[in-house]
mmCIF file of all heavy atoms in Angstrom:
data_model
loop_
_atom_site.group_PDB
_atom_site.id
_atom_site.type_symbol
_atom_site.label_atom_id
_atom_site.label_comp_id
_atom_site.label_asym_id
_atom_site.label_seq_id
_atom_site.Cartn_x
_atom_site.Cartn_y
_atom_site.Cartn_z
ATOM 1 N N LYS Z 32 9.153 7.883 -10.002
ATOM 2 C CA LYS Z 32 7.716 7.652 -9.897
ATOM 3 C C LYS Z 32 7.447 6.244 -9.453
ATOM 4 O O LYS Z 32 6.322 5.938 -8.988
ATOM 5 C CB LYS Z 32 7.228 7.955 -11.321
ATOM 6 C CG LYS Z 32 5.851 7.235 -11.685
ATOM 7 C CD LYS Z 32 5.545 7.593 -13.163
ATOM 8 C CE LYS Z 32 5.702 6.389 -14.057
ATOM 9 N NZ LYS Z 32 4.530 5.534 -14.180
ATOM 10 N N LYS Z 33 8.342 5.425 -9.521
ATOM 11 C CA LYS Z 33 8.184 3.991 -9.187
ATOM 12 C C LYS Z 33 8.802 3.600 -7.856
ATOM 13 O O LYS Z 33 9.013 2.520 -7.415
ATOM 14 C CB LYS Z 33 8.749 3.052 -10.223
ATOM 15 C CG LYS Z 33 7.962 3.004 -11.586
ATOM 16 C CD LYS Z 33 8.026 1.716 -12.210
ATOM 17 C CE LYS Z 33 6.972 1.461 -13.286
ATOM 18 N NZ LYS Z 33 5.680 1.010 -12.697
ATOM 19 N N LEU Z 51 2.208 -0.087 6.815
ATOM 20 C CA LEU Z 51 2.183 -1.443 6.121
ATOM 21 C C LEU Z 51 1.170 -1.513 5.154
ATOM 22 O O LEU Z 51 1.338 -2.138 4.017
ATOM 23 C CB LEU Z 51 1.938 -2.504 7.193
ATOM 24 C CG LEU Z 51 3.026 -2.709 8.290
ATOM 25 C CD1 LEU Z 51 2.756 -3.770 9.261
ATOM 26 C CD2 LEU Z 51 4.401 -2.932 7.634
ATOM 27 N N ILE Z 52 -0.001 -0.820 5.329
ATOM 28 C CA ILE Z 52 -1.148 -0.837 4.225
ATOM 29 C C ILE Z 52 -0.571 -0.059 3.084
ATOM 30 O O ILE Z 52 -0.577 -0.559 1.907
ATOM 31 C CB ILE Z 52 -2.381 -0.248 4.815
ATOM 32 C CG1 ILE Z 52 -3.006 -1.208 5.751
ATOM 33 C CG2 ILE Z 52 -3.244 0.121 3.703
ATOM 34 C CD1 ILE Z 52 -4.163 -0.686 6.422
ATOM 35 N N LEU Z 53 -0.019 1.131 3.224
ATOM 36 C CA LEU Z 53 0.538 1.862 2.054
ATOM 37 C C LEU Z 53 1.714 1.159 1.369
ATOM 38 O O LEU Z 53 1.846 1.162 0.178
ATOM 39 C CB LEU Z 53 0.870 3.370 2.611
ATOM 40 C CG LEU Z 53 -0.326 4.139 3.003
ATOM 41 C CD1 LEU Z 53 0.100 5.425 3.629
ATOM 42 C CD2 LEU Z 53 -1.214 4.424 1.768
ATOM 43 N N THR Z 55 2.396 -2.144 1.213
ATOM 44 C CA THR Z 55 1.910 -3.273 0.414
ATOM 45 C C THR Z 55 1.132 -2.803 -0.697
ATOM 46 O O THR Z 55 1.191 -3.489 -1.892
ATOM 47 C CB THR Z 55 1.108 -4.256 1.297
ATOM 48 O OG1 THR Z 55 0.049 -3.616 2.047
ATOM 49 C CG2 THR Z 55 1.966 -4.970 2.286
ATOM 50 N N ALA Z 56 0.292 -1.826 -0.588
ATOM 51 C CA ALA Z 56 -0.449 -1.294 -1.753
ATOM 52 C C ALA Z 56 0.480 -0.679 -2.819
ATOM 53 O O ALA Z 56 0.254 -0.988 -4.029
ATOM 54 C CB ALA Z 56 -1.479 -0.231 -1.340
ATOM 55 N N ALA Z 58 3.545 -1.592 -3.392
ATOM 56 C CA ALA Z 58 4.180 -2.686 -4.017
ATOM 57 C C ALA Z 58 3.267 -3.332 -5.037
ATOM 58 O O ALA Z 58 3.649 -3.813 -6.067
ATOM 59 C CB ALA Z 58 4.681 -3.693 -3.021
ATOM 60 N N ALA Z 59 1.983 -3.373 -4.660
ATOM 61 C CA ALA Z 59 1.015 -4.004 -5.640
ATOM 62 C C ALA Z 59 0.830 -3.236 -6.834
ATOM 63 O O ALA Z 59 0.411 -3.701 -7.978
ATOM 64 C CB ALA Z 59 -0.329 -4.136 -4.899
ATOM 65 N N THR Z 60 1.133 -2.007 -6.851
ATOM 66 C CA THR Z 60 1.145 -1.122 -8.121
ATOM 67 C C THR Z 60 2.543 -1.059 -8.774
ATOM 68 O O THR Z 60 2.751 -0.243 -9.629
ATOM 69 C CB THR Z 60 0.723 0.370 -7.823
ATOM 70 O OG1 THR Z 60 1.746 1.028 -7.125
ATOM 71 C CG2 THR Z 60 -0.637 0.339 -7.082
ATOM 72 N N GLY Z 61 3.333 -1.956 -8.402
ATOM 73 C CA GLY Z 61 4.640 -2.121 -8.975
ATOM 74 C C GLY Z 61 5.740 -1.248 -8.623
ATOM 75 O O GLY Z 61 6.772 -1.010 -9.291
ATOM 76 N N PHE Z 122 -11.157 -5.671 14.083
ATOM 77 C CA PHE Z 122 -10.415 -5.692 12.823
ATOM 78 C C PHE Z 122 -10.706 -7.084 12.160
ATOM 79 O O PHE Z 122 -10.828 -7.288 10.981
ATOM 80 C CB PHE Z 122 -8.943 -5.360 12.931
ATOM 81 C CG PHE Z 122 -8.673 -3.926 12.974
ATOM 82 C CD1 PHE Z 122 -9.671 -3.062 13.333
ATOM 83 C CD2 PHE Z 122 -7.422 -3.410 12.486
ATOM 84 C CE1 PHE Z 122 -9.372 -1.662 13.420
ATOM 85 C CE2 PHE Z 122 -7.244 -2.035 12.408
ATOM 86 C CZ PHE Z 122 -8.140 -1.232 12.864
ATOM 87 N N LYS Z 125 -14.103 -7.624 10.744
ATOM 88 C CA LYS Z 125 -14.315 -6.877 9.453
ATOM 89 C C LYS Z 125 -13.342 -7.443 8.294
ATOM 90 O O LYS Z 125 -13.379 -6.820 7.326
ATOM 91 C CB LYS Z 125 -13.977 -5.332 9.656
ATOM 92 C CG LYS Z 125 -15.001 -4.700 10.594
ATOM 93 C CD LYS Z 125 -16.198 -4.237 9.936
ATOM 94 C CE LYS Z 125 -17.070 -3.540 10.903
ATOM 95 N NZ LYS Z 125 -18.347 -3.221 10.329
ATOM 96 N N HIS Z 126 -12.649 -8.478 8.683
ATOM 97 C CA HIS Z 126 -11.644 -9.081 7.657
ATOM 98 C C HIS Z 126 -10.530 -8.083 7.261
ATOM 99 O O HIS Z 126 -10.139 -8.128 6.061
ATOM 100 C CB HIS Z 126 -12.377 -9.654 6.506
ATOM 101 C CG HIS Z 126 -13.512 -10.462 6.736
ATOM 102 N ND1 HIS Z 126 -13.224 -11.859 6.960
ATOM 103 C CD2 HIS Z 126 -14.868 -10.273 6.792
ATOM 104 C CE1 HIS Z 126 -14.429 -12.408 7.250
ATOM 105 N NE2 HIS Z 126 -15.398 -11.491 7.087
ATOM 106 N N VAL Z 127 -10.110 -7.234 8.179
ATOM 107 C CA VAL Z 127 -8.857 -6.483 7.943
ATOM 108 C C VAL Z 127 -7.674 -7.344 8.119
ATOM 109 O O VAL Z 127 -7.688 -8.213 9.093
ATOM 110 C CB VAL Z 127 -8.781 -5.238 8.894
ATOM 111 C CG1 VAL Z 127 -7.539 -4.460 8.702
ATOM 112 C CG2 VAL Z 127 -10.109 -4.432 8.731
ATOM 113 N N ALA Z 128 -6.717 -7.326 7.254
ATOM 114 C CA ALA Z 128 -5.544 -8.132 7.433
ATOM 115 C C ALA Z 128 -4.917 -7.808 8.737
ATOM 116 O O ALA Z 128 -4.912 -6.731 9.185
ATOM 117 C CB ALA Z 128 -4.571 -7.919 6.195
ATOM 118 N N GLU Z 132 -0.046 -10.656 8.724
ATOM 119 C CA GLU Z 132 -0.317 -10.925 7.325
ATOM 120 C C GLU Z 132 0.300 -9.890 6.436
ATOM 121 O O GLU Z 132 0.986 -10.113 5.447
ATOM 122 C CB GLU Z 132 -1.851 -10.962 7.030
ATOM 123 C CG GLU Z 132 -2.504 -12.162 7.404
ATOM 124 C CD GLU Z 132 -3.996 -12.037 7.269
ATOM 125 O OE1 GLU Z 132 -4.565 -12.163 6.148
ATOM 126 O OE2 GLU Z 132 -4.682 -11.958 8.242
ATOM 127 N N LEU Z 133 0.147 -8.606 6.946
ATOM 128 C CA LEU Z 133 0.702 -7.471 6.208
ATOM 129 C C LEU Z 133 2.258 -7.641 6.100
ATOM 130 O O LEU Z 133 2.873 -7.259 5.169
ATOM 131 C CB LEU Z 133 0.238 -6.107 6.777
ATOM 132 C CG LEU Z 133 -1.211 -5.797 6.585
ATOM 133 C CD1 LEU Z 133 -1.522 -4.587 7.366
ATOM 134 C CD2 LEU Z 133 -1.544 -5.618 5.128
ATOM 135 N N VAL Z 136 2.936 -10.188 3.520
ATOM 136 C CA VAL Z 136 2.760 -9.671 2.142
ATOM 137 C C VAL Z 136 3.897 -8.816 1.835
ATOM 138 O O VAL Z 136 4.411 -8.852 0.730
ATOM 139 C CB VAL Z 136 1.373 -8.901 2.142
ATOM 140 C CG1 VAL Z 136 1.223 -8.170 0.759
ATOM 141 C CG2 VAL Z 136 0.230 -9.990 2.184
ATOM 142 N N GLU Z 139 6.934 -10.787 1.044
ATOM 143 C CA GLU Z 139 6.693 -11.506 -0.350
ATOM 144 C C GLU Z 139 6.798 -10.557 -1.367
ATOM 145 O O GLU Z 139 7.379 -10.997 -2.523
ATOM 146 C CB GLU Z 139 5.303 -12.038 -0.332
ATOM 147 C CG GLU Z 139 5.132 -13.466 0.168
ATOM 148 C CD GLU Z 139 3.716 -13.842 0.177
ATOM 149 O OE1 GLU Z 139 2.914 -13.409 -0.684
ATOM 150 O OE2 GLU Z 139 3.347 -14.457 1.187
ATOM 151 N N SER Z 140 6.379 -9.328 -1.278
ATOM 152 C CA SER Z 140 6.388 -8.331 -2.490
ATOM 153 C C SER Z 140 7.642 -7.512 -2.441
ATOM 154 O O SER Z 140 7.621 -6.480 -3.063
ATOM 155 C CB SER Z 140 5.068 -7.570 -2.510
ATOM 156 O OG SER Z 140 4.683 -7.151 -1.327
ATOM 157 N N ASN I 14 -14.899 -10.029 0.609
ATOM 158 C CA ASN I 14 -14.763 -10.055 2.034
ATOM 159 C C ASN I 14 -13.385 -9.640 2.523
ATOM 160 O O ASN I 14 -13.043 -9.650 3.670
ATOM 161 C CB ASN I 14 -15.065 -11.359 2.660
ATOM 162 C CG ASN I 14 -16.480 -11.763 2.616
ATOM 163 O OD1 ASN I 14 -17.357 -10.815 2.684
ATOM 164 N ND2 ASN I 14 -16.830 -13.036 2.362
ATOM 165 N N LEU I 15 -12.645 -9.149 1.501
ATOM 166 C CA LEU I 15 -11.256 -8.633 1.954
ATOM 167 C C LEU I 15 -11.299 -7.057 1.970
ATOM 168 O O LEU I 15 -12.008 -6.509 1.138
ATOM 169 C CB LEU I 15 -10.203 -9.076 0.935
ATOM 170 C CG LEU I 15 -9.900 -10.445 0.830
ATOM 171 C CD1 LEU I 15 -8.939 -10.808 -0.317
ATOM 172 C CD2 LEU I 15 -9.324 -10.986 2.182
ATOM 173 N N LEU I 16 -10.585 -6.416 2.808
ATOM 174 C CA LEU I 16 -10.635 -4.980 2.973
ATOM 175 C C LEU I 16 -9.183 -4.547 2.530
ATOM 176 O O LEU I 16 -8.271 -5.221 2.466
ATOM 177 C CB LEU I 16 -10.860 -4.557 4.356
ATOM 178 C CG LEU I 16 -12.328 -4.620 4.803
ATOM 179 C CD1 LEU I 16 -12.498 -4.066 6.245
ATOM 180 C CD2 LEU I 16 -13.229 -3.789 3.856
ATOM 181 N N CYS I 17 -9.241 -3.154 2.294
ATOM 182 C CA CYS I 17 -7.903 -2.506 1.750
ATOM 183 C C CYS I 17 -6.832 -2.781 2.769
ATOM 184 O O CYS I 17 -6.960 -2.882 3.962
ATOM 185 C CB CYS I 17 -8.191 -0.952 1.846
ATOM 186 S SG CYS I 17 -6.820 0.022 1.637
ATOM 187 N N PRO I 18 -5.592 -3.178 2.258
ATOM 188 C CA PRO I 18 -5.215 -3.055 0.811
ATOM 189 C C PRO I 18 -5.181 -4.478 0.112
ATOM 190 O O PRO I 18 -4.731 -4.540 -0.968
ATOM 191 C CB PRO I 18 -3.813 -2.732 0.898
ATOM 192 C CG PRO I 18 -3.172 -3.504 2.157
ATOM 193 C CD PRO I 18 -4.510 -3.464 3.116
ATOM 194 N N MET I 19 -5.883 -5.519 0.722
ATOM 195 C CA MET I 19 -5.689 -6.880 0.104
ATOM 196 C C MET I 19 -6.271 -7.151 -1.125
ATOM 197 O O MET I 19 -5.695 -7.761 -1.959
ATOM 198 C CB MET I 19 -6.387 -7.825 1.296
ATOM 199 C CG MET I 19 -5.533 -7.857 2.651
ATOM 200 S SD MET I 19 -3.814 -8.005 2.526
ATOM 201 C CE MET I 19 -3.492 -9.623 1.888
ATOM 202 N N VAL I 21 -6.289 -5.128 -3.769
ATOM 203 C CA VAL I 21 -5.218 -4.641 -4.657
ATOM 204 C C VAL I 21 -3.929 -5.464 -4.690
ATOM 205 O O VAL I 21 -3.427 -5.818 -5.699
ATOM 206 C CB VAL I 21 -4.922 -3.171 -4.337
ATOM 207 C CG1 VAL I 21 -3.666 -2.717 -4.986
ATOM 208 C CG2 VAL I 21 -6.138 -2.280 -4.787
ATOM 209 N N VAL I 22 -3.559 -5.878 -3.416
ATOM 210 C CA VAL I 22 -2.296 -6.787 -3.194
ATOM 211 C C VAL I 22 -2.606 -8.058 -4.038
ATOM 212 O O VAL I 22 -1.710 -8.510 -4.782
ATOM 213 C CB VAL I 22 -2.170 -7.074 -1.777
ATOM 214 C CG1 VAL I 22 -1.165 -8.204 -1.661
ATOM 215 C CG2 VAL I 22 -1.642 -5.713 -1.064
ATOM 216 N N LYS I 23 -3.786 -8.714 -3.887
ATOM 217 C CA LYS I 23 -4.053 -9.913 -4.555
ATOM 218 C C LYS I 23 -4.090 -9.711 -6.077
ATOM 219 O O LYS I 23 -3.629 -10.572 -6.837
ATOM 220 C CB LYS I 23 -5.442 -10.510 -4.019
ATOM 221 C CG LYS I 23 -5.418 -10.794 -2.644
ATOM 222 C CD LYS I 23 -5.676 -12.203 -2.310
ATOM 223 C CE LYS I 23 -5.452 -12.452 -0.832
ATOM 224 N NZ LYS I 23 -5.065 -13.738 -0.404
ATOM 225 N N ALA I 24 -4.653 -8.616 -6.473
ATOM 226 C CA ALA I 24 -4.890 -8.338 -7.918
ATOM 227 C C ALA I 24 -3.481 -8.144 -8.475
ATOM 228 O O ALA I 24 -3.105 -8.705 -9.617
ATOM 229 C CB ALA I 24 -5.613 -7.163 -8.143
ATOM 230 N N GLY I 25 -2.505 -7.462 -7.865
ATOM 231 C CA GLY I 25 -1.269 -7.168 -8.211
ATOM 232 C C GLY I 25 -0.426 -8.537 -8.457
ATOM 233 O O GLY I 25 0.356 -8.621 -9.359
ATOM 234 N N LYS I 26 -0.685 -9.426 -7.563
ATOM 235 C CA LYS I 26 0.029 -10.638 -7.514
ATOM 236 C C LYS I 26 -0.449 -11.482 -8.758
ATOM 237 O O LYS I 26 0.173 -12.134 -9.449
ATOM 238 C CB LYS I 26 -0.296 -11.462 -6.237
ATOM 239 C CG LYS I 26 0.825 -12.292 -5.732
ATOM 240 C CD LYS I 26 0.383 -13.091 -4.587
ATOM 241 C CE LYS I 26 1.361 -13.055 -3.470
ATOM 242 N NZ LYS I 26 0.733 -13.720 -2.220
ATOM 243 N N ILE I 28 -2.143 -10.538 -11.555
ATOM 244 C CA ILE I 28 -1.968 -10.078 -12.902
ATOM 245 C C ILE I 28 -0.617 -10.378 -13.374
ATOM 246 O O ILE I 28 -0.326 -10.495 -14.659
ATOM 247 C CB ILE I 28 -2.405 -8.501 -12.963
ATOM 248 C CG1 ILE I 28 -2.697 -8.129 -14.476
ATOM 249 C CG2 ILE I 28 -1.169 -7.697 -12.543
ATOM 250 C CD1 ILE I 28 -4.002 -7.414 -14.570
ATOM 251 N N ARG I 29 0.292 -10.558 -12.495
ATOM 252 C CA ARG I 29 1.726 -10.948 -12.898
ATOM 253 C C ARG I 29 1.728 -12.408 -13.576
ATOM 254 O O ARG I 29 2.625 -12.532 -14.402
ATOM 255 C CB ARG I 29 2.627 -10.888 -11.777
ATOM 256 C CG ARG I 29 3.582 -9.740 -11.833
ATOM 257 C CD ARG I 29 4.392 -9.493 -10.542
ATOM 258 N NE ARG I 29 3.777 -8.644 -9.775
ATOM 259 C CZ ARG I 29 3.756 -8.537 -8.407
ATOM 260 N NH1 ARG I 29 4.385 -9.604 -7.776
ATOM 261 N NH2 ARG I 29 3.156 -7.762 -7.772
ATOM 262 N N ALA I 52 -7.551 3.435 -10.057
ATOM 263 C CA ALA I 52 -6.225 4.004 -9.691
ATOM 264 C C ALA I 52 -5.106 3.027 -9.998
ATOM 265 O O ALA I 52 -4.017 3.338 -10.476
ATOM 266 C CB ALA I 52 -6.213 4.593 -8.368
ATOM 267 N N TRP I 53 -5.369 1.839 -9.374
ATOM 268 C CA TRP I 53 -4.423 0.774 -9.597
ATOM 269 C C TRP I 53 -4.145 0.433 -11.041
ATOM 270 O O TRP I 53 -2.923 0.246 -11.389
ATOM 271 C CB TRP I 53 -4.906 -0.467 -8.773
ATOM 272 C CG TRP I 53 -4.039 -1.644 -9.012
ATOM 273 C CD1 TRP I 53 -2.855 -2.042 -8.419
ATOM 274 C CD2 TRP I 53 -4.337 -2.782 -9.864
ATOM 275 N NE1 TRP I 53 -2.550 -3.277 -8.879
ATOM 276 C CE2 TRP I 53 -3.312 -3.741 -9.802
ATOM 277 C CE3 TRP I 53 -5.523 -2.951 -10.806
ATOM 278 C CZ2 TRP I 53 -3.353 -4.924 -10.615
ATOM 279 C CZ3 TRP I 53 -5.428 -4.153 -11.543
ATOM 280 C CH2 TRP I 53 -4.430 -5.073 -11.323
ATOM 281 N N ASP I 55 -4.476 2.277 -13.566
ATOM 282 C CA ASP I 55 -3.821 3.513 -14.189
ATOM 283 C C ASP I 55 -2.373 3.407 -13.843
ATOM 284 O O ASP I 55 -1.495 3.641 -14.734
ATOM 285 C CB ASP I 55 -4.553 4.735 -13.668
ATOM 286 C CG ASP I 55 -4.077 6.029 -14.479
ATOM 287 O OD1 ASP I 55 -3.953 5.815 -15.743
ATOM 288 O OD2 ASP I 55 -3.802 7.025 -13.845
ATOM 289 N N ASP I 56 -2.014 3.151 -12.524
ATOM 290 C CA ASP I 56 -0.681 3.252 -12.090
ATOM 291 C C ASP I 56 0.138 1.974 -12.715
ATOM 292 O O ASP I 56 1.386 2.123 -12.864
ATOM 293 C CB ASP I 56 -0.600 3.124 -10.622
ATOM 294 C CG ASP I 56 -0.819 4.496 -9.969
ATOM 295 O OD1 ASP I 56 -0.948 5.496 -10.681
ATOM 296 O OD2 ASP I 56 -1.144 4.489 -8.665
ATOM 297 N N THR I 57 -0.492 0.952 -12.808
ATOM 298 C CA THR I 57 0.237 -0.289 -13.356
ATOM 299 C C THR I 57 0.324 -0.296 -14.850
ATOM 300 O O THR I 57 0.984 -1.150 -15.482
ATOM 301 C CB THR I 57 -0.387 -1.623 -12.774
ATOM 302 O OG1 THR I 57 -1.754 -1.537 -13.084
ATOM 303 C CG2 THR I 57 -0.104 -1.718 -11.277
ATOM 304 N N GLU I 80 4.345 -4.230 -19.736
ATOM 305 C CA GLU I 80 5.006 -2.928 -19.787
ATOM 306 C C GLU I 80 6.182 -2.851 -20.783
ATOM 307 O O GLU I 80 6.912 -3.819 -20.973
ATOM 308 C CB GLU I 80 5.828 -2.701 -18.324
ATOM 309 C CG GLU I 80 5.184 -1.538 -17.639
ATOM 310 C CD GLU I 80 5.850 -1.457 -16.326
ATOM 311 O OE1 GLU I 80 5.410 -2.285 -15.303
ATOM 312 O OE2 GLU I 80 6.731 -0.646 -16.138
ATOM 313 N N GLU I 81 6.200 -1.744 -21.493
ATOM 314 C CA GLU I 81 7.407 -1.618 -22.477
ATOM 315 C C GLU I 81 8.371 -0.685 -21.810
ATOM 316 O O GLU I 81 7.967 0.355 -21.311
ATOM 317 C CB GLU I 81 6.762 -0.966 -23.773
ATOM 318 C CG GLU I 81 5.442 -0.256 -23.576
ATOM 319 C CD GLU I 81 5.125 0.820 -24.420
ATOM 320 O OE1 GLU I 81 5.926 1.342 -25.072
ATOM 321 O OE2 GLU I 81 3.860 1.114 -24.542
#
Side-chain angles (χ1 to χ4, degrees):
Chain Z
K32 158 183 109 90
K33 287 212 163 278
L51 294 180
I52 287 175
L53 290 170
T55 50
T60 68
F122 275 31
K125 296 269 179 193
H126 306 281
V127 177
E132 282 173 80
L133 289 173
V136 169
E139 266 171 42
S140 41
Chain I
N14 291 326
L15 295 173
L16 281 184
C17 171
M19 295 316 283
V21 166
V22 166
K23 300 240 174 208
K26 214 186 226 178
I28 201 129
R29 244 170 273 146
W53 169 80
D55 194 40
D56 282 348
T57 51
E80 242 177 284
E81 19 155 336

